[in-house]
Amino acid sequence: MRTLYLDCGMGAAGDMLMGALLELLPEPEAFLAKMRELDLPGIEISAKKSQKCGISGTHMEVLCHGQEEGREHEHHHHHTTLADISHILSHLNVSDRVRQNAQAVYAAIADAESRVHGTTIDQIHFHEVGTLDALADVVGVCVLMEMLQVEQVIASPVHVGSGQVHCAHGILPVPAPATALLLEGIPMYTGTIRGELCTPTGAALLRQFVTNFGEMPVMRVEKIGYGLGTKDFEAANALRVMLGDTEEAGERILSLACNLDDMTGEAVGFAMEALLSAGALDVFTAPIGMKKSRPGILLTCLCREEDRERFVDLLFRHTTTLGIRIARLERETLRRETKTVQTPDGPVRMKTSCGHGVRRVKPEYEDLAEIARKTGKGLNEINV
């Protein structure tokens, strides 16, 4: 599987992520030319080779009206609304995918800012993340992700830095309140480095594109890129990215099981429906013999580890069990996708499963059954 791994040991910022991803391209100039063609008003973008602690990488120089992003200048404190950002994005010559990703990044930032300030999204005025130079970072990363065409993005836990940061509202703790909200549910940590290592823009980009946070998977790395920040720390201020292929990976799941001998068939069926409706990976039963030779039912629910408490609560609520056995399992699955095809008898969803050297295509039963009811044909007579 085509995989991109982000090493966020020195946090994440939009310009650093853009620089790192740019180094993965075989022809970086094609990206720079595309960005210049967008004609963002007042914006000039260039890639500069530089070093941090002896590590060579790319620093993205984004000039807004002749001044580099991150510097204290009057333009940087223009107030910009989400509607302003949306208007600019709607007029850019980019694909729908890039536009939608950029919109989603800014929507996430606006939501975090509105929660911090106790107001609505439409009343938020961006400061650090709302100016055109930061918009160039967001659009640039979205364009690069489209050009790289990876199947999954994995990132390390995020180093956010420590201490305090100066912003438009005054002096705030690190991570800044909006950044902390954007990183909710994402593994992060502080350290001895004083300063803001993860910006709101960087956090929002991670939330948009990263599919999983954790250790680097076993992968055959083809190319490595380094995106350099502007500040100097005792550690190299660089975001490292690795592009390569990973093997088909299994996932860890939980098996929640309980023995039942005092529930009716209808009650067991209702419990199974409740678990499946809540998003269980699978629910099934098996007949068993219990104490005192009583016949019973073994009810098993499969779920993801992060959903453990929710499904434990549901099992106790909908069954009469007094205890639940929990086991961790590894599950290997085929990649699945569904596409609708037009047949002489009507549309039919086709389910494709592939991976591990296997490829299977199967029509959706419910679609075939609906056609059979309407046409009077047998299931095996429908041409798909």
Side-chain angles (χ1 to χ4, degrees):
M1 180 180 292
R2 198 70 171 163
T3 299
L4 177 67
Y5 183 73
L6 312 180
D7 181 355
C8 301
M10 282 298 287
D15 60 332
M16 294 170 67
L17 184 55
M18 180 162 54
L21 295 176
L22 180 63
E23 290 204 333
L24 301 179
L25 294 181
E27 298 180 4
E29 186 57 39
F31 164 76
L32 294 173
K34 185 177 182 63
M35 291 300 293
R36 295 187 190 108
E37 291 171 2
L38 297 183
D39 198 25
L40 285 166
I43 290 294
E44 299 174 45
I45 300 177
S46 59
K48 307 288 187 181
K49 277 295 183 180
S50 184
Q51 285 192 353
K52 291 291 182 183
C53 296
I55 297 176
S56 175
T58 296
H59 166 63
M60 296 303 297
E61 186 177 75
V62 180
L63 300 181
C64 184
H65 298 291
Q67 299 190 58
E68 188 172 1
E69 81 171 308
R71 297 184 184 275
E72 296 296 329
H73 53 78
E74 182 180 352
H75 173 77
H76 203 75
H77 290 291
H78 263 343
H79 290 182
T80 311
T81 67
L82 184 59
D84 296 329
I85 296 295
S86 298
H87 177 76
I88 295 172
L89 290 173
S90 68
H91 288 79
L92 291 183
N93 182 25
V94 294
S95 69
D96 289 340
R97 181 182 180 186
V98 167
R99 185 176 292 105
Q100 290 167 4
N101 281 330
Q103 287 274 22
V105 169
Y106 267 96
I109 295 171
D111 176 67
E113 292 282 358
S114 68
R115 291 165 64 189
V116 168
H117 300 300
T119 185
T120 58
I121 289 178
D122 60 329
Q123 292 178 316
I124 286 298
H125 289 78
F126 297 111
H127 301 285
E128 285 79 7
V129 297
T131 48
L132 287 173
D133 45 17
L135 179 61
D137 291 342
V138 171
V139 173
V141 170
C142 292
V143 169
L144 284 164
M145 291 299 295
E146 182 179 57
M147 295 176 73
L148 290 170
Q149 296 183 339
V150 296
E151 295 178 83
Q152 67 171 346
V153 182
I154 301 174
S156 70
V158 183
H159 188 178
V160 296
S162 63
Q164 297 174 321
V165 61
H166 293 260
C167 71
H169 296 287
I171 300 176
L172 299 175
V174 172
T179 303
L181 286 176
L182 286 162
L183 292 174
E184 278 185 333
I186 293 173
M188 60 176 172
Y189 62 97
T190 61
T192 59
I193 295 177
R194 307 287 289 182
E196 181 185 37
L197 299 184
C198 185
T199 66
T201 305
L205 287 166
L206 293 178
R207 178 166 289 281
Q208 178 65 18
F209 289 109
V210 176
T211 51
N212 187 34
F213 289 86
E215 297 179 357
M216 179 180 172
V218 176
M219 61 187 291
R220 290 182 292 273
V221 177
E222 296 176 7
K223 204 158 187 183
I224 300 174
Y226 290 88
L228 306 183
T230 56
K231 296 180 180 179
D232 291 318
F233 298 104
E234 56 266 34
N237 188 16
L239 191 154
R240 180 170 61 179
V241 298
M242 300 181 182
L243 179 67
D245 289 311
T246 56
E247 299 293 336
E248 298 290 341
E251 61 175 329
R252 291 186 177 183
I253 63 173
L254 295 182
S255 171
L256 312 181
C258 58
N259 296 353
L260 306 170
D261 66 355
D262 56 353
M263 291 179 64
T264 65
E266 291 89 346
V268 172
F270 183 85
M272 295 177 68
E273 291 177 7
L275 294 166
L276 289 169
S277 297
L281 299 173
D282 200 2
V283 182
F284 51 91
T285 62
I288 56 174
M290 297 177 59
K291 292 184 298 182
K292 301 179 181 178
S293 301
R294 290 177 299 191
I297 294 173
L298 172 63
L299 174 63
T300 303
C301 171
L302 301 183
C303 70
R304 293 184 171 83
E305 289 188 326
E306 59 266 28
D307 296 326
R308 168 178 172 156
E309 292 305 316
R310 187 159 60 90
F311 283 101
V312 166
D313 291 345
L314 286 172
L315 276 168
F316 279 125
R317 183 182 310 163
H318 293 292
T319 72
T320 57
T321 188
L322 300 178
I324 299 169
R325 297 181 298 280
I326 301 176
R328 285 179 172 80
L329 307 175
E330 288 192 1
R331 184 175 74 151
E332 295 281 352
T333 61
L334 299 179
R335 297 194 305 276
R336 285 164 282 188
E337 64 176 17
T338 301
K339 293 184 179 179
T340 300
V341 299
Q342 295 297 326
T343 74
D345 296 309
V348 174
R349 287 169 291 172
M350 301 297 292
K351 299 182 291 187
T352 301
S353 305
C354 58
H356 297 280
V358 173
R359 179 180 175 84
R360 301 179 185 138
V361 180
K362 181 180 180 182
E364 174 60 54
Y365 165 77
E366 293 296 340
D367 293 352
L368 296 183
E370 182 64 22
I371 291 174
R373 295 186 192 100
K374 291 180 178 179
T375 63
K377 292 182 177 181
L379 291 177
N380 59 348
E381 297 176 300
I382 299 172
N383 186 18
V384 293

